[in-house]
Amino acid sequence: MTTLTSLGLIVLALLRTPLFAIIAAAALLGFYRSGIDLTAVVIEFYRLAEMPILLAIPLFTFAGYLLSESRAAVRLVHLTQALLGWMPGGLAIVALLACAFFTAFTGASGVTIVALGALLVPAMAQAGYGENFNLGLVTTSGSLGLLFAPSVPLILYAVIAQQLGVGEPVTVDDMFLAGVLPGLLMLALLSVWVVWVNRGQPLRAFSRTEAGAALWEARWEIPLPFIVLGGIYTGYFAVSEAAAVTALYVLIVEVGIYREVSLRKLPGVMRDAMVLVGAILIILGLSLASTNYLIDAGVPAKLFAMIQSHISDRLTFLILLNIFLLVLGTMLDIFSALVIMVPLLLPIATGYNIHPVHLGIIFLANMQIGYFTPPVGMNLFIASYRFKKPVMQLYRATLPFFIILLLAVLMITYWPGLSLSLPSLG
């Protein structure tokens, strides 16, 4: 692709042309210049449509949107507060766990901040936690669940890696298992810190009556993680089947039992969920077509040769990879970043003997904290709008959480066993 063409695509990006149009233009121009029939782009969409695992994305997304429209978040917070509120920093740990659970199912950190922020920030302020602490906690923990199943980014990474066929094979089950220990590490480090910072907070006594009432109130949502994960890892469900069961279960619970999402409102929820899914699939199909052109043109091999001429060891490559992904996370949403960058990074990473599953967890962990990395992390602006606070205040509020999660990302990056131990047992 000529320099003039590249500059043209950059200008389109600066003019805020939709991402799928820029990727499509790049793919079509590349194939045209190479003398390849342009139906190659359509073939990629057909190949994508043949993947059974792809069904999991719209189904899990629909289930997540249904949960976000119901009072599931309120019940989840009440339950965790009743069970953990007696601990030092208990309400802060409740916020961490609730946000992680909610983001895992909705797949969108901004939704978590909007849905749970109005509940958690006033509750924590009433309990005596400082304003900056509350804002920092909710803003950063809004993206914590991206490493936990059934997070859509985990599924999307597996789909892209399968299509590339580079290095060791990657399955969705592998990615679900690989995210467990790194995700728990992030939660554990943050939990230790929030307990230490709030060790002087007055404690509330544990109440069996309150815990029992909260358990009863959330009795229909409590089985949800066990249905999803238990069904997949016992081999009873394939991932796509687990997604279908999850969507049906959530539909019955939120629409039929709790009746918090009316039948009149249901088409709107479906529309919003499928708009997101449609955007992901369009970008994914066009990106895979563009990737095929890049592979045919030998671009990943040329990039690897260029990088290897300057970076000989794996450690240095991983350091630069983390820096690059942090910056990327501030500029692109996670779905766009996955479909654009993974096809380029995966062949290079395998050249440095980095396992594709490990790379996926490194990628998502960095993108997770890129959401609130100054100066333009998306969560900072969502939280600023939601809580009516200056962005500079949120920069300061999120800094301690950023440092802790950055430490966790470094541990995830340089300790491959953290990501690979559970998949190797599966």
Side-chain angles (χ1 to χ4, degrees), residues 72-395:
V74 176
R75 286 188 289 274
L76 176 63
V77 171
H78 286 169
L79 175 62
T80 49
Q81 187 173 1
L83 297 177
L84 300 175
W86 56 270
M87 296 173 59
L91 186 54
I93 296 175
V94 165
L96 292 174
L97 295 177
C99 288
F101 175 89
F102 207 69
T103 303
F105 274 89
T106 61
S109 63
V111 173
T112 300
I113 292 172
V114 172
L116 290 180
L119 178 66
L120 290 171
V121 170
M124 293 173 70
Q126 189 176 6
Y129 293 85
E131 182 182 63
N132 275 4
F133 177 84
N134 300 340
L135 293 172
L137 180 69
V138 173
T139 303
T140 54
S141 58
S143 58
L144 272 181
L146 293 178
L147 293 179
F148 292 118
S151 167
V152 170
L154 287 171
I155 300 172
L156 191 58
Y157 177 85
V159 169
I160 297 168
Q162 286 173 12
Q163 292 293 299
L164 291 173
V166 177
E168 297 289 327
V170 178
T171 67
V172 175
D173 288 6
D174 289 338
M175 293 306 298
F176 281 180
L177 286 170
V180 172
L181 294 181
L184 290 176
L185 172 68
M186 288 183 159
L187 283 175
L189 291 178
L190 285 174
S191 297
V192 169
W193 186 76
V194 300
V195 168
W196 172 255
V197 168
N198 298 288
R199 60 193 181 278
Q201 285 286 336
L203 304 181
R204 51 179 287 174
F206 176 76
S207 167
R208 288 186 181 181
T209 304
E210 184 184 2
L215 284 166
W216 178 253
E217 185 184 31
R219 65 193 180 280
W220 292 107
E221 278 120 353
I222 291 171
L224 193 53
F226 301 100
I227 291 172
V228 177
L229 303 180
I232 292 172
Y233 296 132
T234 58
Y236 194 77
F237 297 139
V239 173
S240 54
E241 293 169 339
V245 170
T246 301
L248 178 62
Y249 182 85
V250 172
L251 182 67
I252 292 171
V253 169
E254 306 302 343
V255 177
I257 297 175
Y258 287 122
R259 298 185 180 180
E260 292 170 346
V261 179
S262 65
L263 289 174
R264 182 178 295 179
K265 193 176 182 181
L266 191 57
V269 176
M270 290 179 176
R271 182 195 62 234
D272 293 342
M274 293 310 109
V275 165
L276 174 61
V277 172
I280 293 170
L281 295 184
I282 288 173
I283 294 172
L284 179 58
L286 291 170
S287 178
L288 290 175
S290 178
T291 298
N292 280 346
Y293 164 71
L294 294 175
I295 291 172
D296 290 342
V299 172
K302 292 173 185 174
L303 277 175
F304 177 64
M306 182 186 71
I307 292 171
Q308 198 174 39
S309 66
H310 296 91
I311 302 169
S312 57
D313 64 295
R314 185 168 175 267
L315 181 66
T316 306
F317 172 75
L318 286 171
I319 292 171
L320 293 177
L321 178 65
N322 279 327
I323 294 170
F324 171 74
L325 291 176
L326 277 176
V327 174
L328 185 72
T330 66
M331 297 186 293
L332 282 180
D333 68 272
I334 197 164
F335 302 115
S336 301
L338 278 165
V339 297
I340 293 171
M341 295 311 306
V342 169
L344 291 175
L345 290 175
L346 185 54
I348 297 170
T350 53
Y352 285 95
N353 295 317
I354 298 169
H355 196 288
V357 170
H358 185 209
L359 175 68
I361 299 303
I362 293 172
F363 193 104
L364 295 178
N366 275 283
M367 293 299 295
Q368 181 173 291
I369 65 174
Y371 271 124
F372 56 88
T373 300
V376 290
M378 182 173 66
N379 280 9
L380 295 168
F381 294 95
I382 292 174
S384 174
Y385 175 79
R386 179 66 187 81
F387 305 123
K388 304 293 188 294
K389 299 295 179 183
V391 174
M392 287 303 298
Q393 182 178 356
L394 289 164
Y395 288 170

